[in-house]
């Protein structure tokens, strides 16, 4: 159990580092709110290699800690709504289908943006924000594709599947 806790701490630290690095990258395509989602690499790898409960725990802790360290209460709310919906969709798709990690990551990226825009529309009481949805769906597809490819390559190169805590 000690080893598993140490690995969870390592993954949380890695997710926070990814959040911090992402906050430093001047990534702007003229689309407000669009980010690469580098921390989702950690969540996707954990979902496939560690387990759903652990991946969800790290996702929630990362959202809270990164929000307090690098963001504000609204960033926590938007990140949590997008992250929770994204994780739920990825978890269900992984369990119920034989989709590849890249396809599941793409769906995660798309549903992350759907969750965020839905909460934003409720908070600002302006449902015209949904006109922004096609742009966010395209951005979610592209970032999900990139994250999926990176996660697949990292899992292949690091030969995840049997971590030392499993031995």
């Amino acid at each position: 159990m000690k080893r598993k806790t140490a690995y969870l701490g390592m993954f949380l630290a890695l997710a926070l580092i990814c959040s911090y690095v992402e906050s430093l990258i001047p990534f702007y395509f003229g689309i407000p709110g669009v980010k690469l989602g580098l921390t989702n690499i950690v969540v996707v790898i954990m979902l496939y290699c560690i387990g759903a409960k652990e991946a969800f725990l790290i996702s929630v802790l990362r959202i809270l800690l990164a929000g307090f360290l690098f963001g504000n209460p609204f960033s926590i709310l938007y990140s949590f709504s997008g992250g929770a919906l994204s994780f739920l969709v990825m978890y269900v798709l992984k369990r119920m289908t034989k989709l590849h990690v890249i396809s599941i990551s793409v769906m995660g990226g798309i549903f992350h943006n759907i969750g965020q825009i839905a909460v934003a529309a409720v908070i600002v009481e302006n449902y015209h924000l949904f006109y922004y949805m096609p742009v966010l769906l395209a951005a979610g597809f592209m970032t999900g594709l990139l994250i999926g490819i990176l996660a697949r390559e990292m899992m292949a190169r690091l030969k995840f599947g049997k971590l030392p805590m499993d031995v």
Side-chain angles (χ1 to χ4, degrees):
M1 186 62 176
K2 253 186 185 178
R3 273 189 167 174
K4 192 169 192 173
T5 305
Y7 280 103
L8 293 179
M10 179 189 67
F11 279 113
L12 178 58
L14 185 58
L16 284 170
I17 290 167
C18 288
S19 283
Y20 180 67
V21 167
E22 188 170 34
S23 74
L24 297 176
I25 297 172
F27 180 76
Y28 185 71
F29 285 122
I31 307 168
V34 173
K35 297 190 331 183
L36 285 172
L38 293 175
T39 57
N40 291 332
I41 295 172
V42 175
V43 174
V44 169
I45 289 172
M46 287 188 71
L47 182 62
Y48 273 83
C49 300
I50 305 293
K53 288 185 292 189
E54 294 85 355
F56 186 71
L57 175 66
I58 294 303
S59 181
V60 169
L61 288 174
R62 191 269 317 159
I63 289 167
L64 290 172
L65 291 172
F68 287 126
L69 293 170
F70 319 121
N72 57 54
F74 283 110
S75 68
I76 295 172
L77 181 62
Y78 292 134
S79 291
F80 183 74
S81 61
L85 183 60
S86 171
F87 186 84
L88 177 66
V89 167
M90 290 191 300
Y91 172 72
V92 168
L93 288 174
K94 181 182 178 291
R95 281 190 53 116
M96 303 296 185
T97 68
K98 297 207 183 292
L99 290 175
H100 193 270
V101 65
I102 296 173
S103 301
I104 288 176
S105 178
V106 166
M107 295 306 290
I110 288 170
F111 277 90
H112 191 278
N113 288 346
I114 290 171
Q116 285 188 328
I117 200 78
V119 166
V122 169
I123 288 175
V124 299
E125 297 177 358
N126 184 349
Y127 297 97
H128 289 97
L129 289 176
F130 285 105
Y131 290 127
Y132 194 44
M133 189 64 79
V135 173
L136 289 177
L137 293 178
F141 177 85
M142 294 304 295
T143 58
L145 181 66
L146 176 66
I147 296 305
I149 291 169
L150 291 172
R152 179 196 65 191
E153 293 302 316
M154 287 178 71
M155 288 187 297
R157 282 171 175 57
L158 296 174
K159 299 189 182 13
F160 277 112
K162 274 285 189 196
L163 293 175
M165 68 181 161
D166 296 330
V167 177

